[in-house]
Amino acid sequence: MNLRAIGCNVASAAVELRERLAFNPDKMQRAFTELNTRFAAETVILDTCNRVEIYVSRQDTVAPLHIPLMAEFLAEIHGVPASEIVPHLYEHADAQAAKHLFRVASGLDSVVIGEGQIAGQVKDAYEIALKSTATGSFLNALFPSAIRVSRRVRTETGIAHGHVSVSSAAVDFVRQVFETFTDKTVLVIGAGKMGRLTLKHLAELKPAAILVTNRNPEKAADVAKECDGHVVPWQQLDDALVQADIVLSTTGAPEPIVTRHRFDNKVRRRRAGRTLVIFDIAVPRDFDPAIHDGEVSVFNVDDLAREADRCMGERNRHLPAAEAIVEAEVAKFVSDWNKRANGPVIGQLTAEVDKVRDGVVAPLLDKLNGKLTDAEKAYIEGAFRLFQNKLLHGPIAALHEASREGHSGGLREALRMLFGLKG
Amino acid sequence: MTGSLVQNIHHYCVGLSYLCAFLLEIARLLWPARGWRIAGLGFGAAGLVAHTAYLFVQQPSPAVPHGSVLLLAWVLALFYFYGTVHHAKQAWAVFVLPVVIALVALSRVLLTAAPDHAAFNFAGWASGDRFWGAVHGVLILFASVGVSVSFLASMMYLIQARRLRRKVSPGAVIPMLNLERLETMNRHSLNWAFPMLTAGLLVGTLLIPHGPSLSDNWLSVKVLSTAGLWLVFLVLLYLRYGAHVPARRLALFSVVAFTLLLVALVAAHPFADGGAK
C-alpha cells in the first residue's frame, strides 16, 4: 500500500484559500492527467464546500507523494503560491489515509457529525475519477469500501439520527402530531431567513397547500414564488389561521401579532377542535405563548434549538461505536489488500523453491536407484519438503507480519529480488 | 403426551409469557438492540400460542365473566402481535401488553373467586333457545374489542399530547404513534364498537323478559353498566360529530367507556344461558 491523502478542510484552511483551491471540471481533468503521467498515480479528488482532498496511490516500489510535492502541483493547477498552501495542508499515509477516508465518508470528520451529504459527495468524487480512468486497482477497492463503511456506520449506530439544525428540528416536532401531510395546509407568516430555511424542510413533507402572508405583499409574493405557495392578504390572517394545520411565523414585528385573546375569539372557535402546530421562530415572538395548550402547540426558536442540541448530543454519544466500526473496517481492508498483494509473491516463491527442491531430490534418488525401498524414498522426499517449509516459514511469516503493520511493499520487493521472482 | 401438555396450560403460563415479552420490550427501549425485539416477539408468540391452546382446550364459555375477559385478552394479544410486527419502531407492546396481562390476571381472579367451568357448547348455542344469547355475547365481545382498542389509542394519545404540551423532545422519550394516527385509530374503534354495542344491547333487552327474575335482571350491575356504556358512547359520538370537541376530551371519555366495559364484563351475566339462568 502506497496511499496518501493530502488536502485541507474547514479546520485547517480558511474559506478564502479553500475556494481558491476548488477544482472545476477542467482543472480536475487536468489534475488527473498530470498526476497520472508525471507520478503514475491513481487519483480521486474530493472537493466539497468543507474540504479539498486528493487521494493518490502509487506502486509500492516508488516513493510516496508528499505535501511539498503536492503543494507545488496544486500551485501549478490553481495559480496559488505553494508557500501559501503548504501551512494549511495535512497528510495521512497508508492505513491512516484509508482510515481518514472512512471517517470522512461516514461523516465523522464533518462539521456536523453524522451529516449524510458527504457520503454522496465521496461517491460522486470516486465516480468522476472512475469515468476519467484516473483510478486503478487500489482506489477501486478503497472507495467502494469507504462507501460501504459509511452505510454501515449510519445503519448500525445512531450517528445520523434526528435533525441537528434549528430549521430542520421543526420536522421532528411536526411528525409527532401529523401522520400525513398531503392533506395539510402550511401558513407562512413573514419572510425571515430562518423562516425560509425551515419552510424548505416543511415543504419537503409535500403539504397540500402553502399559504404565505406578509405585511409587505411583494415579500409575500417572493416567498410564495420560492415554495410554490399562494399569497394571502395580511388582512385575512385570521382566516388563514383557521385554515392552517402548520404555521411558520418569522416576522420582525416588535410585539406579538397574535395575542391569546385574538386567537381564542377569532380563530380557535372556528377551527372545530382541529390540531394546530405553530413554529414561532421570530424574536421577539409573534404568538402569545399562552396560546400553547393540548390542542394548539406553539414551539419557539429555543424549543427547536434545544431539540437540535439534543440530537447533536445523541449523535456524539454514538461516536465511539462509529469509530470502532471504522477501526475494524480499516484493519480488515488493509489485511485483505495485503493478502491480495502477497498472494502472487508467496505463490511464485513456493513454486520456485519447489523447482529447486525437485532439481536436487530427483537426481539424488536416481543415483541411489535400487538401493532404497519405496518407504525410504518417501522419507527422503518428506525430509526435503520439511526443510523447504522450515526455510520459507521465516520470510512468509515476516511478510504477513509486515502486511499487518501496513508496510509489506518493501519486503515483497526484497523477496522478489532475493529469489529471482518475476515482477 | 402433547394432549396432556396442552391440558396443563394455565393462566400463569400465558400471563408470564406476556410479562416476559413486556419486560423485554422495556429492555429494548432502555438498551436498544435487535436481540431484545426478537426475544420479546418470541415470548409474545409463545404467550399467544399458549393462550390460544388454553381457549381451544378448556373452551371457557364467553357467557361467564372469566371466559369473556380471557377471550377479550386474546383478541388484544392478537392486536399486540400485529402492532409489534407492523410498527417495529414504536413502543407498541409497552401500552398493549399491560392491558392484556391485566385481563389475563383478572380472568384468573374471577375463576378463582367463583369457579365456573362452564364450557362453550357450540352445538347448543347454534341451535335452539340459546341462539340469541350467543348472538348477544358475540356482539358484546366485538364491541368490547372496539372499546379496548379505543382505550389503548386514547391512553397513547393522552401521553403523546402531554409530551407535546410539555414540549418534550420527540427523540428523548419512548417512540409512539403521532396524534393524528392515534386519533384515527380511536375514531375507527368507536365507529366499529357503537353499532355492535347497540345491537348487542337490543338483543339483550329482548332476552331479559325470558330471565328468571325480571326486576333483578333490569337492575343488575351488568345491565346497568352496559346501558351506561352505551350512553357514554352516545355522548362520545355527539361530542365528536356534533360538538367537535378536542380529541383530548374524547380520549378521556374513551377511558371512562373502557372502565364501564370492564364492570359490564365482570358483572354476573343474567341471560348468558339464553335466558335460562
Side-chain angles (χ1 to χ4, degrees):
Chain A
M1 188 189 294
N2 183 353
L3 172 69
R4 291 295 180 275
I6 299 171
C8 60
N9 64 13
V10 69
S12 72
V15 67
E16 289 78 11
L17 179 63
R18 295 203 314 276
E19 65 192 10
R20 289 166 76 194
L21 297 181
F23 284 85
N24 60 32
D26 289 342
K27 283 183 179 176
M28 198 172 278
Q29 289 306 323
R30 196 178 141 209
F32 287 147
T33 310
E34 294 290 322
L35 285 166
N36 186 279
T37 50
R38 274 195 231 171
F39 305 110
E42 302 178 41
T43 311
V44 173
I45 298 172
L46 178 62
D47 182 3
T48 72
C49 53
N50 285 334
R51 66 184 68 241
V52 178
E53 287 178 347
I54 303 179
Y55 292 83
V56 281
S57 172
R58 305 181 76 192
Q59 288 290 320
D60 290 348
T61 47
V62 296
L65 295 177
H66 46 71
I67 284 184
L69 202 60
M70 194 56 82
E72 288 295 336
F73 176 75
L74 288 170
E76 200 181 304
I77 294 274
H78 295 293
V80 180
S83 57
E84 281 185 36
I85 304 172
V86 171
H88 303 282
L89 291 183
Y90 49 74
E91 177 181 337
H92 298 285
D94 300 330
Q96 286 305 312
K99 182 181 172 182
H100 177 73
L101 175 63
F102 287 7
R103 291 187 78 250
V104 167
S106 305
L108 304 182
D109 197 53
S110 299
V111 176
V112 177
I113 298 290
E115 59 109 352
Q117 208 181 357
I118 187 68
Q121 289 168 331
V122 169
K123 193 176 173 199
D124 291 346
Y126 169 61
E127 281 172 0
I128 290 169
L130 188 68
K131 273 186 196 159
S132 310
T133 60
T135 59
S137 58
F138 184 79
L139 292 185
N140 283 340
L142 181 69
F143 273 79
S145 293
I147 293 158
R148 186 181 52 76
V149 171
S150 85
R151 206 175 302 129
R152 205 185 142 200
V153 166
R154 272 163 226 288
T155 52
E156 292 183 23
T157 71
I159 201 80
H161 286 179
H163 292 99
V164 290
S165 69
V166 170
S167 56
S168 59
V171 174
D172 282 347
F173 277 109
V174 86
R175 281 195 188 281
Q176 296 290 298
V177 179
F178 297 119
E179 172 77 6
T180 53
F181 296 91
T182 48
D183 57 346
K184 301 295 181 297
T185 299
V186 174
L187 169 65
V188 184
I189 308 171
K193 191 185 169 192
M194 180 65 87
R196 288 186 182 199
L197 280 172
T198 310
L199 177 60
K200 199 176 143 198
H201 290 285
L202 291 175
E204 283 170 7
L205 299 171
K206 297 187 171 45
I210 297 177
L211 309 177
V212 183
T213 187
N214 197 310
R215 280 198 176 94
N216 181 336
E218 285 170 9
K219 285 186 179 174
D222 282 349
V223 177
K225 198 177 168 187
E226 276 177 30
C227 62
D228 199 18
H230 309 285
V231 175
V232 175
W234 182 253
Q235 295 73 19
Q236 292 175 17
L237 175 62
D238 292 333
D239 297 334
L241 282 169
V242 171
Q243 201 183 332
D245 300 289
I246 300 165
V247 174
L248 177 60
S249 191
T250 171
T251 74
E255 286 178 356
I257 53 171
V258 182
T259 59
R260 168 82 186 260
H261 183 262
R262 176 179 176 177
F263 188 84
D264 286 350
N265 288 309
K266 296 186 174 173
V267 180
R268 195 187 289 272
R269 275 188 292 188
R270 291 161 63 198
R271 290 187 56 83
R274 278 166 46 233
T275 307
L276 175 65
V277 181
I278 299 170
F279 295 108
D280 180 3
I281 53 178
V283 180
R285 287 175 287 182
D286 290 334
F287 281 76
D288 184 347
I291 293 170
H292 179 80
D293 59 16
E295 189 185 328
V296 180
S297 301
V298 184
F299 298 103
N300 60 41
V301 72
D302 284 0
D303 299 323
L304 299 183
R306 206 178 305 121
E307 173 62 5
D309 285 349
R310 192 200 59 76
C311 285
M312 186 49 88
E314 189 66 16
R315 286 187 179 193
N316 285 332
R317 208 167 61 79
H318 291 274
L319 261 179
E323 294 283 8
I325 289 175
V326 167
E327 286 286 352
E329 288 285 351
V330 169
K332 186 173 176 294
F333 176 80
V334 170
S335 162
D336 287 352
W337 176 257
N338 284 322
K339 271 184 202 160
R340 200 169 137 183
N342 292 343
V345 175
I346 293 170
Q348 280 183 40
L349 181 63
T350 312
E352 199 63 33
V353 181
D354 277 348
K355 220 188 289 173
V356 175
R357 191 196 68 217
D358 287 345
V360 174
V361 174
L364 177 69
L365 293 179
D366 282 348
K367 217 173 215 179
L368 298 171
N369 196 17
K371 295 176 186 168
L372 297 173
T373 63
D374 285 348
E376 285 166 335
K377 278 183 190 172
Y379 184 79
I380 290 169
E381 280 177 337
F384 270 89
R385 205 170 290 119
L386 185 65
F387 173 73
Q388 176 191 328
N389 289 347
K390 283 192 181 288
L391 188 73
L392 290 183
H393 175 75
I396 291 173
L399 191 58
H400 285 315
E401 184 58 30
S403 297
R404 267 193 293 277
E405 290 167 7
H407 52 74
S408 56
L411 193 52
R412 266 199 306 273
E413 213 41 45
L415 285 171
R416 279 202 182 99
M417 290 174 73
L418 283 169
F419 288 89
L421 309 176
K422 287 172 189 167
Chain B
M1 179 149 175
T2 311
S4 70
L5 189 72
V6 173
Q7 288 284 347
N8 286 330
I9 291 176
H10 209 267
H11 282 80
Y12 295 121
C13 308
V14 179
L16 283 174
S17 299
Y18 290 144
L19 185 63
C20 286
F22 173 68
L23 294 175
L24 287 163
E25 180 68 13
I26 297 280
R28 179 178 79 94
L29 294 170
L30 292 176
W31 306 285
R34 195 179 159 78
W36 295 122
R37 176 172 154 75
I38 294 167
L41 271 173
F43 272 99
L48 195 56
V49 168
H51 200 156
T52 310
Y54 181 88
L55 290 174
F56 188 74
V57 173
Q58 305 291 343
Q59 297 186 352
S61 169
V64 295
H66 85 88
S68 59
V69 169
L70 199 61
L71 202 57
L72 177 60
W74 181 75
V75 178
L76 289 180
L78 285 177
F79 181 64
Y80 140 73
F81 204 75
Y82 163 82
T84 307
V85 170
H86 281 266
H87 303 291
K89 288 184 179 170
Q90 311 294 335
W92 188 265
V94 170
F95 293 94
V96 185
L97 275 179
V99 178
V100 174
I101 294 165
L103 288 174
V104 171
L106 180 63
S107 167
R108 178 67 205 166
V109 169
L110 290 169
L111 183 63
T112 311
D116 184 346
H117 295 286
F120 181 73
N121 178 359
F122 183 78
W125 281 47
S127 62
D129 59 348
R130 291 182 179 179
F131 175 76
W132 288 107
V135 170
H136 164 77
V138 168
L139 289 169
I140 293 292
L141 180 72
F142 283 170
S144 305
V145 172
V147 177
S148 303
V149 172
S150 158
F151 166 73
L152 288 166
S154 299
M155 289 303 292
M156 288 191 256
Y157 186 97
L158 291 170
I159 292 170
Q160 183 72 294
R162 185 180 159 86
R163 283 178 184 178
L164 280 165
R165 215 166 46 250
R166 293 185 160 207
K167 298 186 177 183
V168 177
S169 286
V173 283
I174 57 172
M176 287 171 65
L177 295 175
N178 54 61
L179 288 183
E180 188 178 32
R181 181 75 182 268
L182 291 167
E183 205 270 336
T184 307
M185 195 193 289
N186 194 6
R187 188 176 65 239
H188 287 167
S189 308
L190 294 179
N191 290 349
W192 156 268
F194 186 68
M196 297 289 165
L197 187 65
T198 307
L201 205 63
L202 278 174
V203 174
T205 309
L206 294 174
L207 288 172
I208 283 182
H210 302 288
S213 166
L214 193 60
S215 60
D216 283 355
N217 278 345
W218 280 113
L219 296 174
S220 69
V221 180
K222 180 89 183 174
V223 173
L224 292 176
S225 56
T226 310
L229 177 63
W230 187 81
L231 282 174
V232 168
F233 260 79
L234 205 60
V235 173
L236 262 173
L237 290 175
Y238 168 72
L239 291 176
R240 176 175 297 282
Y241 296 107
H244 299 292
V245 301
R248 192 173 155 274
R249 275 188 230 164
L250 293 173
L252 286 169
F253 264 90
S254 299
V255 174
V256 173
F258 180 74
T259 312
L260 280 170
L261 169 78
L262 283 185
V263 174
L265 285 177
V266 169
H269 204 305
F271 37 72
D273 219 1
K277 275 191 181 177

